Amino acid sequence: MQRATQLALIALCAGLAAHTASAQSEAPPPGEQAGAAAKAFIEKLDTDKNGGISLEEATAPQKEQFTSNDKDGDGFITAEEASTAFAEQVPAEMLEAMKERGMPDPGQTFVKNLDQNGDGKVDPTEFEQPTKESFNAMDANSDGAADEAEATAYFEEMRAKMQERMQQVQEQMQQMQQMQQEQSPAE
């Protein structure tokens, strides 16, 4: 579930950061990106305009997204529905590249990551769980609201974790390349 939480937050941060960057003539320097993303995050979700977001405000977009993705209206999102939603939001070339690389179907991955009770589909509670976990981690003082400072700290922490993970992946890829070179016969 932690992986799903991180993926959901990364997607949210990336989308908000991209929106913020496109709305400005210049992107903020790397050290200020978390602050810009946090500001956009708060502005987008703070519907009562009190300077922070509540859990209800944080989960409101998930409720709308769930309804949109639940194509048959049965109260669950299946792998097929998730795949359809993904295909509607991602360029066809990207989907094709994913298939060519042998990556699993995004709908199946979605259900695998969020289906806590193992019934093969995602209910609204399961769908909102990553957002609830992220919100609880973001609300550092546990007062029921995440303000811009808390969001900035959380986004910076997630950026650092993502950067660390990317470094680990690069190192693993380098090790694999080195092993392949050592195993291949000299020409």
Side-chain angles (χ1 to χ4, degrees):
M1 183 52 61
Q2 184 176 3
R3 176 182 164 94
T5 300
Q6 291 173 347
L7 293 173
L9 181 63
I10 290 166
L12 176 63
C13 291
L16 289 171
H19 172 73
T20 301
S22 68
Q24 299 175 352
S25 59
E26 239 179 79
E32 296 175 18
Q33 288 177 353
K39 182 176 180 171
F41 176 75
I42 297 295
E43 286 175 2
K44 182 173 176 74
L45 297 178
D46 183 18
T47 56
D48 63 9
K49 304 299 179 203
N50 68 353
I53 59 166
S54 65
L55 180 58
E56 292 74 29
E57 289 171 318
T59 57
Q62 276 63 39
K63 291 176 188 339
E64 292 173 22
Q65 189 67 45
F66 184 90
T67 300
S68 173
N69 291 350
D70 180 16
K71 300 295 185 190
D72 63 9
D74 68 352
F76 299 96
I77 298 175
T78 64
E80 294 79 23
E81 288 171 323
S83 291
T84 298
F86 192 78
E88 292 171 353
Q89 299 172 18
V90 174
E93 312 84 56
M94 185 178 189
L95 289 172
E96 188 59 36
M98 290 170 65
K99 284 182 188 176
E100 288 174 6
R101 291 189 174 106
M103 294 177 74
D105 176 78
Q108 292 172 352
T109 301
F110 169 85
V111 170
K112 178 182 172 191
N113 285 332
L114 295 180
D115 179 21
Q116 296 175 345
N117 63 8
D119 65 358
K121 52 194 174 188
V122 176
D123 66 36
T125 302
E126 292 167 328
F127 189 77
E128 292 176 9
Q129 191 59 36
T131 299
K132 289 177 179 179
E133 290 173 5
S134 293
F135 177 83
N136 289 333
M138 188 182 299
D139 181 16
N141 63 6
S142 300
D143 67 354
D147 62 23
E148 191 173 328
E150 289 172 314
T152 298
Y154 184 71
F155 287 1
E156 181 58 34
E157 179 184 342
M158 290 297 103
R159 185 204 59 77
K161 286 180 180 181
M162 186 169 49
Q163 188 174 26
E164 181 182 323
R165 181 64 183 132
M166 293 294 285
Q167 172 108 21
Q168 291 171 348
V169 168
Q170 287 176 342
E171 289 171 1
Q172 290 172 347
M173 290 176 67
Q174 289 172 347
Q175 289 173 352
M176 288 174 54
Q177 288 173 343
Q178 185 177 11
M179 288 173 47
Q180 288 175 343
Q181 289 172 352
E182 290 172 358
Q183 293 176 354
S184 64
E187 294 182 35

